[in-house]
């Protein structure tokens, strides 16, 4: 089987390819990635000599490029990770989000429709999406697959839009497509603009730990490899046309996560936990900041038999070890365009 993975040089895509290319040697994996600021081909170094892996530098907003690559690689399964993924960036500049997340997904769907003209069951489009499409919860309740869409940020609105297109292509053209909506991931290779790696690296450097608002917003955290295993399970056993919510049943307030990160770093490096915690700085809140996300993952558990393997304490420790042991990776990222972007956009954040 030929598996086209879009966005495979990003955080979740890299973890997915590193997990499955060496295991499923009879499948060919094609990684199609534009290599934006969030990508790092270095994440995939160990796969370079694998005969069942190849990289294609391409942009999903370019339909002609997609057609060429479909002609060459004849994919049977498309796993669509490629997207602009950071909420704060979408607030500062939504345009790329509209292009890559909406137009890019539309182009991929069009390519599938062109190359998979019959309603064949041996082809599959797996669209990797987020729980943020459902908007914000109050103190109670969970997102199920039937929760109405109510996105708050340009990022989540662009993902919601792409989900609607995927569902429409299934209903209208019979495209064999599946959608997964997953909660916040954490783990190795995550770009240090997202909460957990940002706080780990700032704490290690002795820099302020900028918590938005009062730090009371809640996310449901899932270790990235558990998400990857869920995706593989959905690709193998999911029913086309269905949606599966994926989550860790692991709700945490942001301020509690940051405190926990300080405690683990103190344990691992011999520093004073109170001194690390004193770096916590409450800053101006994110506009449109969703209060709480919480996933009801009972459908994927009951119907497909998936459940997470990692608990939060173990996953966080592994993640902190990874960042401690990969200082060169961090160094290269911090010296690049990421740093310029952070300086331009976050340089003058006001304290709350
Ligand atoms: P990421 O930002 O780390 O990586 C995205 C990858 O997509 C990068 O390699 C980038 O180069 C590539 N890309 C972006 N635009 C492209 C384009 N136009 N053409 C080709 N490639 C392009 O993102 P991530 O955190 O790995 O997320 C992957 C997917 O999973 C996204 O669709 C995201 O919405 C979804 N998701 C993420 C999370 C999370 O917590 N990170 C949770 C649920 C769902
Ligand atoms: P983030 O990692 O950006 O993921 P998402 O917005 O997709 O959930 O943020 C996770 C939570 O952490 C979110 O409630 C915003 C908050 N946050 C901070 O408090 N400070 C920060 O510097 C960042 C990046 C996020």
């Amino acid at each position: 089987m030929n598996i086209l993975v879009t966005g495979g040089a990003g955080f979740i895509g890299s973890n997915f390819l590193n997990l499955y290319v060496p295991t499923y040697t009879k499948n060919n994996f094609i990684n199609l990635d534009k290599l934006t600021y969030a990508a790092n081909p270095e994440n995939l170094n160990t796969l370079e000599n694998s005969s069942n892996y190849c990289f294609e530098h391409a942009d999903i907003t370019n339909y002609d490029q997609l057609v060429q690559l479909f002609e060459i690689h004849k994919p049977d399964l498309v796993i669509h990770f490629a997207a602009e993924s950071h909420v704060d960036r979408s607030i500062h500049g939504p345009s790329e989000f509209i292009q890559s997340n909406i137009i890019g997904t539309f182009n991929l769907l069009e390519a599938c429709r062109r190359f998979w003209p019959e309603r064949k069951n041996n082809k599959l489009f797996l669209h990797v999406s987020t729980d943020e499409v459902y908007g914000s919860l109050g103190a109670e309740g969970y997102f199920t697959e039937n929760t109405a869409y109510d996105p708050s940020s340009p990022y989540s609105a662009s993902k919601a839009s792409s989900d609607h297109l995927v569902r429409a292509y299934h209903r209208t053209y019979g495209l064999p497509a599946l959608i997964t909506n997953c909660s916040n991931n954490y783990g190795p290779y995550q770009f240090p603009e997202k909460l957990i790696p940002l706080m780990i690296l700032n704490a290690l450097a002795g820099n302020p730990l900028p918590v938005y608002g009062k730090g009371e917003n809640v996310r449901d955290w899932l270790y990235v490899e558990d998400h990857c295993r869920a995706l593989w399970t959905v690709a193998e056993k999911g029913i086309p046309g269905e949606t599966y919510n994926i989550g860790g049943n692991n709700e945490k307030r942001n301020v509690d996560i940051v405190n926990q990160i300080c405690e683990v770093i103190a344990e691992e490096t011999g520093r004073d936990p109170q001194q690390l915690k004193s770096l916590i700085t409450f800053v101006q809140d994110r506009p449109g900041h969703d209060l709480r996300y919480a996933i009801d993952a009972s459908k994927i558990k009951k119907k497909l038999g998936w459940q997470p393997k990692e608990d939060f304490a173990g996953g966080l420790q592994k993640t902190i070890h990874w960042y401690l042991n990969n200082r060169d990776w961090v160094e290269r990222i911090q010296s690049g365009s990421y740093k310029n972007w952070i300086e331009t956009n976050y340089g003058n954040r006001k304290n709350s």
Side-chain angles (χ1 to χ4, degrees):
M1 180 161 58
N2 298 328
I3 304 177
L4 179 69
V5 173
T6 71
F11 163 50
I12 307 176
S14 299
N15 279 283
F16 184 88
L17 288 166
N18 281 319
L19 203 55
Y20 289 117
V21 171
T23 319
Y24 290 96
T25 49
K26 289 199 177 130
N27 294 322
N28 295 312
F29 292 82
I30 306 102
N31 174 13
L32 183 170
D33 200 299
K34 179 183 171 183
L35 299 182
T36 68
Y37 78 94
N40 192 342
E42 200 187 323
N43 301 353
L44 301 160
N45 275 351
T46 57
L47 304 181
E48 249 167 33
N49 298 321
S50 309
S51 56
N52 64 330
Y53 171 76
C54 73
F55 176 72
E56 293 284 5
H57 188 198
D59 185 340
I60 56 171
T61 66
N62 183 334
Y63 178 69
D64 294 339
Q65 254 183 358
L66 291 182
V67 168
Q68 273 177 13
L69 293 177
F70 269 66
E71 269 162 1
I72 297 167
H73 295 290
K74 302 184 173 44
D76 305 294
L77 168 62
V78 173
I79 305 186
H80 179 32
F81 292 103
E84 288 294 331
S85 68
H86 188 39
V87 172
D88 291 331
R89 280 182 191 256
S90 82
I91 295 168
H92 289 285
S95 171
E96 292 283 321
F97 289 74
I98 307 305
Q99 290 304 320
S100 291
N101 301 3
I102 306 178
I103 308 293
T105 302
F106 163 68
N107 284 336
L108 262 181
L109 290 166
E110 278 292 278
C112 291
R113 191 159 80 89
R114 174 163 166 177
F115 285 88
W116 304 343
E118 302 136 61
R119 294 178 179 238
K120 279 188 176 166
N121 290 330
N122 61 347
K123 308 283 184 198
L124 196 60
F125 185 93
L126 170 49
H127 180 60
V128 182
S129 192
T130 166
D131 59 356
E132 300 190 29
V133 298
Y134 299 124
S136 186
L137 290 166
E140 311 248 306
Y142 294 90
F143 297 135
T144 74
E145 287 78 0
N146 298 321
T147 302
Y149 278 32
D150 187 19
S152 301
S153 69
Y155 164 67
S156 52
S158 69
K159 291 297 288 187
S161 174
S162 65
D163 291 11
H164 288 322
L165 283 170
V166 174
R167 216 165 262 125
Y169 271 62
H170 173 75
R171 292 184 190 162
T172 308
Y173 305 114
L175 188 86
L178 284 157
I179 299 175
T180 56
N181 296 92
C182 186
S183 62
N184 287 57
N185 286 210
Y186 67 100
Y189 303 115
Q190 188 164 30
F191 194 83
E193 63 188 352
K194 305 274 166 67
L195 180 75
I196 289 184
L198 181 86
M199 296 299 169
I200 295 172
L201 297 181
N202 281 11
L204 287 172
N207 289 334
L209 306 175
V211 174
Y212 298 163
K214 294 183 179 154
E216 285 171 354
N217 302 69
V218 171
R219 299 291 181 262
D220 168 7
W221 294 92
L222 182 69
Y223 192 64
V224 61
E225 286 190 358
D226 279 322
H227 184 194
C228 295
R229 279 189 272 271
L231 293 172
W232 193 266
T233 305
V234 170
E236 269 188 339
K237 301 191 208 159
I239 297 169
E242 293 285 318
T243 295
Y244 297 91
N245 278 357
I246 304 168
N249 196 19
N250 178 48
E251 288 182 51
K252 303 263 180 209
R253 294 189 316 162
N254 293 336
V255 68
D256 297 334
I257 298 255
V258 179
N259 275 304
Q260 200 171 340
I261 288 172
C262 292
E263 279 158 23
V264 178
I265 291 182
E267 249 171 57
E268 297 293 327
T269 63
R271 296 184 202 192
D272 174 6
Q274 291 318 319
Q275 202 189 352
L276 289 173
K277 287 179 188 179
S278 72
L279 297 170
I280 294 176
T281 315
F282 292 95
V283 298
Q284 206 173 33
D285 210 353
R286 171 189 279 173
H289 196 175
D290 288 332
L291 177 66
R292 175 173 166 256
Y293 302 146
I295 281 274
D296 175 350
S298 51
K299 178 174 173 184
I300 187 173
K301 287 182 180 167
K302 281 191 199 133
K303 303 260 183 204
L304 308 185
W306 169 86
Q307 56 179 17
K309 286 188 181 170
E310 200 69 60
D311 66 14
F312 188 70
L316 186 65
Q317 196 173 39
K318 276 191 188 174
T319 305
I320 290 173
H321 281 170
W322 190 86
Y323 283 93
L324 281 170
N325 293 332
N326 288 275
R327 304 296 293 170
D328 292 352
W329 184 93
V330 171
E331 184 64 32
R332 279 193 282 276
I333 282 201
Q334 286 181 330
S335 60
S337 58
Y338 163 69
K339 211 175 163 195
N340 301 336
W341 188 89
I342 290 282
E343 272 162 16
T344 314
N345 294 293
Y346 282 174
N348 56 0
R349 277 196 294 194
K350 295 185 200 78
N351 286 4
S352 61

